[in-house]
Structures are given as structure tokens and as C-alpha cells.
Amino acid sequence: PLERTLSIVKPDGVQKNLIGEVYRRFEQAGLRIIAARMLHLTQRQAEGFYAVHRERPFFKDLVAYMSSGPVIVQVLEGENAVARNRELMGATDPKKADKGTIRADLAASIEENVVHGSDSVENAANEIAFFFAAADLCPRTR
Ligand code: CMP
């Protein structure tokens, strides 16, 4: 099915000048970037975005890291976009990620792992709505 997913190049990815490298991988895989914006998340925004993780031991660190510098957020569209993006990213922990994935190739640690991607179609819809209005999306018409 044609799906949309929310992707973030995290502060470490922007800091290391990896935006183009990550976008190249999305485009090479046939995913289309149909919306994008750069922003520096406040602590409150990071807490809101990751609210599902608020009871986790790593939550405080995660919020500090995600608000430590600018991120670039994009909506990816394509066949099976949610799973496709997760394949491109690899496992959360770069040590466990398959070779050739974004995290195996580019990430420093389980926390500083360069990218975020929605884990289901349902969460993708919520995460897209967190950052974008319907009018911000530019699906290809030709
Ligand atoms: P992400 O896919 O954005 O979802 C939650 C984030 O928390 C994860 O990527 C990591 O950046 C961060 N994180 C830090 N420690 C852990 C951990 N032990 N397990 C899962 N995620 C972690």
C-alpha cells in the first residue's frame, strides 16, 4: 500500500553534515520527500513528541539530546513507506543494525542514532500531524 511516514534527521545527523547522505538513501530507495522543515525542538516539544517513552529510564537524556540542536523533519511517501524507512534506518542500536543501514554506517550509539522513523502507519499519522498541517504536504501529482 501507498503509505506515509515521519522521519527525523536528529541533532547528531545535522551536526555531522549527514542530511544529504540520509536524503540520498531515501531517494535511492524510491521514497519521495513530500514535506520537510528544519527546527530546533524545545525541551517541551521533545517531551511531547516522545511522550510514549516518558516512563523509560532514558527519557530525560533523550529529551536533552533531541533538543540539543536543530533537526530536519520530513514526510516520506511510497509503497510500504513505514517498513521501507525502518529497513533503511536499521536497528535502534547501531551495533545491532545490519551493514549498509543508516545507523550501522553512520550512528555513534543507541541514543545518538542519526534518524527517527515512525514504527507503524497509525503512529506515522500522529507524528506527521505533530509537525505538519495537511496543506504542508506536497504529494507528487505527476
Ligand atoms: P527512536 O527510534 O527515535 O525512539 C526512541 C529513541 O530513544 C531512540 O530512537 C534513541 O535515540 C533513544 N534511546 C536511547 N536509549 C535507548 C534505549 N535503551 N532503547 C531505545 N531507545 C533508546
Side-chain angles (χ1 to χ4, degrees), residues 12 92-95 107-114:
D12 58 318
T92 305
D93 183 351
K95 295 199 292 287
S109 70
I110 192 168
E111 176 170 85
E112 297 202 3
N113 61 1
V114 181

Side-chain angles (χ1 to χ4, degrees), residues 13-132:
V14 173
Q15 167 65 26
K16 291 193 281 190
N17 261 359
L18 294 173
I19 297 169
E21 171 63 22
V22 171
Y23 274 32
R24 186 188 65 77
R25 291 173 185 237
F26 293 155
E27 293 190 328
Q28 204 114 309
L31 292 171
R32 296 179 296 278
I33 297 160
I34 64 162
R37 63 186 281 227
M38 189 173 231
L39 75 165
H40 190 142
L41 291 169
T42 63
Q43 194 171 308
R44 191 180 291 260
Q45 284 174 310
E47 285 169 357
F49 182 74
Y50 279 119
V52 291
H53 293 310
R54 66 183 169 271
E55 304 303 334
R56 304 273 213 116
F58 57 81
F59 183 67
K60 212 163 172 270
D61 262 15
L62 173 61
V63 168
Y65 154 58
M66 287 301 291
S67 57
S68 68
V71 297
I72 182 154
V73 185
Q74 45 283 331
V75 178
L76 307 178
E77 183 181 78
E79 281 300 314
N80 302 300
V82 172
R84 194 79 256 279
N85 181 42
R86 293 182 71 77
E87 288 167 13
L88 294 173
M89 292 194 298
T92 305
D93 183 351
K95 295 199 292 287
K96 294 179 183 157
D98 291 336
K99 276 213 171 55
T101 62
I102 292 168
R103 285 161 169 166
D105 294 352
L106 307 171
S109 70
I110 192 168
E111 176 170 85
E112 297 202 3
N113 61 1
V114 181
V115 279
H116 167 82
S118 309
D119 64 2
S120 68
V121 171
E122 188 189 353
N123 285 339
N126 292 328
E127 293 183 358
I128 290 167
F130 188 91
F131 289 106
F132 297 98

